Amino acid sequence: MKLLEDYKRISKVTKKNIKIYDSTLRDGAQTKGVVFSFEDKVRIAEMLDEFGVDYIEGGWPGANPTDDKFFKKISKFKNSKLVAFGMTRKHGKSPENDPGLNSVLNSGASSACIVGKTWDFHVKKALKIKFEDNLSMISDSVHYASKRLDEVMFDAEHFFDGYKSNPKYAKQSIKIALDAGAKWIILCDTNGGTLPFEVSKIIREVIKIVPGKKLGVHFHNDTDNATANSLEAVRSGVRQIQGTFNGLGERCGNVNLVNVISNLCLKMNYNSKVRKNLKKITHVSRFVDEILNRQSNRNQPFVGSAAFAHKGGLHISAVQKDPRSYEHIDPETVGNERILVVSNQSGRSNIVNQLKKLK
């Protein structure tokens, strides 16, 4: 009964806009076996722009020659905003004199996503600095960047682990970024170990200090919960989802934007710029794999070649009568197609004849 009530409530939700932030060109490059050429990045970026994602993260200016060339050649898109990724100033340097930060600010992109530490463990073990020094690095960097660019996002690295370890400090780190001028606060599950029930609980607390309309999330998929976590985050009030096409990324990958976008638009009644182009999502997914010379996952939800494949007499017979018998959506809504597979195990002697009649 509770499940039915939740479904009815979700279906009646006003169609709020969700921003889609694609990090395929940077996070995707961390995938084992994936190497982007300059031409690869340009072709994928053009496809993403045509599809209509809100933000395209072009890479990390100053990190490698390919990213430098990309930002030198491309400064804006037709439909999407170009974002440069980078980190806060280093300890002991001012924002004005930090080469890494200024490479991001001088990239030509009008938006930047700046990553900083929010987990006390990382501040102690990785940076080996005082907690207050890390907060100053965040505040100084965001404030300086906000004066130079139209839009600055603060990427709260390891936020969910940080919150579970030291909620006071984790919240302090994002509040100081907001006060310094960040337009978005991105809560990251960098290790990918957070579960959906934890996401909703933590975001309910975060929204008390950062409005949901300024919150985004970025989940890794190490527990196979990245999609569920992203959807739960939206239900909890966040308004930006970051991820990659086909779940590209280090270790087990990032959240797969194919699944998130399809579920948000078709199941949860949310709006996004990409909604009008949803029929192109299968093409975009396969295009990315083709550019990277990767074999597409045939079992990938929504866009896989087997996502709407039926085998066996019982299933095929029912699908012939009404596809809703074994399909949760019409495959055409995501640009995919139905496949009926007949074998000697189908269990119905007249299946082949029935299929011939359909043709």
Side-chain angles (χ1 to χ4, degrees):
M1 191 66 175
K2 178 67 164 57
L3 188 64
L4 180 60
E5 292 174 357
D6 282 347
Y7 177 79
K8 289 180 178 179
R9 180 177 59 82
I10 292 171
S11 64
K12 293 180 180 179
V13 169
T14 302
K15 293 182 178 179
K16 296 179 181 178
N17 288 316
I18 303 298
K19 301 293 185 181
I20 302 298
Y21 180 114
D22 183 279
S23 64
T24 301
L25 299 181
R26 182 186 65 85
D27 279 320
Q30 299 180 36
T31 309
K32 184 178 179 181
V34 169
V35 178
F36 288 110
S37 68
F38 167 71
E39 291 75 16
D40 293 339
K41 289 176 73 85
V42 171
R43 292 180 68 188
I44 292 173
E46 289 174 346
M47 177 63 73
L48 294 172
D49 181 34
E50 182 183 340
F51 183 59
V53 298
D54 296 278
Y55 299 98
I56 298 174
E57 188 179 273
W60 190 325
N64 60 74
T66 301
D67 283 5
D68 290 341
K69 184 178 180 180
F70 181 85
F71 281 99
K72 186 176 181 180
K73 296 291 184 180
I74 297 178
S75 59
K76 60 182 179 180
F77 299 109
K78 293 184 296 183
N79 301 306
S80 309
K81 290 184 180 180
L82 175 64
V83 183
F85 185 87
M87 62 183 291
T88 61
R89 69 168 176 86
K90 291 185 177 180
H91 180 56
K93 289 186 176 294
S94 67
E96 295 83 358
N97 296 312
D98 187 285
L101 179 58
N102 282 282
S103 291
V104 174
L105 304 184
N106 295 327
S107 68
S110 61
S111 300
C113 188
I114 297 175
V115 62
K117 305 294 187 186
T118 62
W119 188 6
D120 58 352
F121 171 77
H122 259 237
V123 177
K124 289 185 291 186
K125 296 294 184 179
L127 297 181
K128 296 183 178 180
I129 61 175
K130 296 178 180 178
F131 290 160
E132 54 267 30
D133 288 338
N134 179 58
L135 295 177
S136 295
M137 289 160 57
I138 295 171
S139 180
D140 294 347
S141 302
V142 172
H143 179 70
Y144 178 64
S146 296
K147 293 189 297 183
R148 299 275 303 276
L149 303 178
D150 295 338
E151 188 174 26
V152 174
M153 307 178 197
F154 176 63
D155 185 276
E157 188 182 28
H158 292 101
F159 179 80
F160 289 92
D161 288 316
Y163 187 94
K164 287 181 274 189
S165 170
N166 186 337
K168 181 179 179 181
Y169 186 74
K171 288 191 291 185
Q172 192 176 5
S173 67
I174 59 173
K175 183 62 166 61
I176 204 166
L178 181 70
D179 293 343
K183 296 289 181 65
W184 289 94
I185 303 296
I186 312 301
L187 309 179
C188 300
D189 186 31
T190 315
N191 284 357
T194 303
L195 299 177
F197 73 90
E198 297 176 297
V199 170
S200 56
K201 179 181 179 181
I202 291 172
I203 290 178
R204 281 198 299 269
E205 294 301 313
V206 171
I207 283 180
K208 295 176 181 178
I209 60 170
V210 179
K213 65 182 180 180
K214 293 190 174 186
L215 279 177
V217 288
H218 187 134
F219 288 101
H220 283 250
N221 200 35
D222 297 74
T223 60
D224 200 25
N225 278 288
T227 297
N229 285 342
S230 298
L231 299 179
E232 190 62 28
V234 169
R235 290 185 68 235
S236 299
V238 309
R239 289 295 173 262
Q240 184 190 131
I241 300 293
Q242 296 192 357
T244 63
F245 258 79
N246 302 331
L248 292 172
E250 64 179 335
R251 303 189 314 273
C252 303
N254 291 265
V255 66
N256 188 340
L257 285 181
V258 170
N259 299 337
V260 171
I261 291 169
S262 299
N263 278 305
L264 285 175
C265 294
L266 297 175
K267 303 287 186 176
M268 297 175 66
N269 209 30
Y270 280 92
N271 262 337
S272 172
K273 279 172 57 180
V274 298
R275 189 182 185 113
K276 65 180 183 298
N277 291 324
L278 200 58
K279 286 187 177 182
K280 298 179 180 179
I281 199 167
T282 295
H283 174 65
V284 177
S285 170
R286 296 178 186 179
F287 179 85
V288 171
D289 282 333
E290 182 182 342
I291 291 295
L292 298 177
N293 197 28
R294 287 165 51 92
Q295 184 173 357
S296 295
N297 177 7
R298 65 189 304 272
N299 297 113
Q300 184 169 319
F302 296 101
V303 301
S305 61
F308 301 96
H310 307 277
K311 179 179 179 180
L314 179 65
H315 289 205
I316 292 176
S317 177
V319 168
Q320 285 177 313
K321 295 169 184 173
D322 192 326
R324 291 176 297 176
S325 301
Y326 285 96
E327 291 176 354
H328 66 112
I329 63 168
D330 183 340
E332 291 186 2
T333 60
V334 289
N336 209 341
E337 62 181 348
R338 179 177 303 113
I339 298 175
L340 303 182
V341 181
V342 179
S343 72
N344 57 5
Q345 300 171 339
S346 294
R348 293 290 182 94
S349 60
N350 64 340
I351 285 293
V352 174
N353 291 330
Q354 291 177 12
L355 291 178
K356 287 180 179 179
K357 290 179 181 179
L358 286 178
K359 294 180 179 180

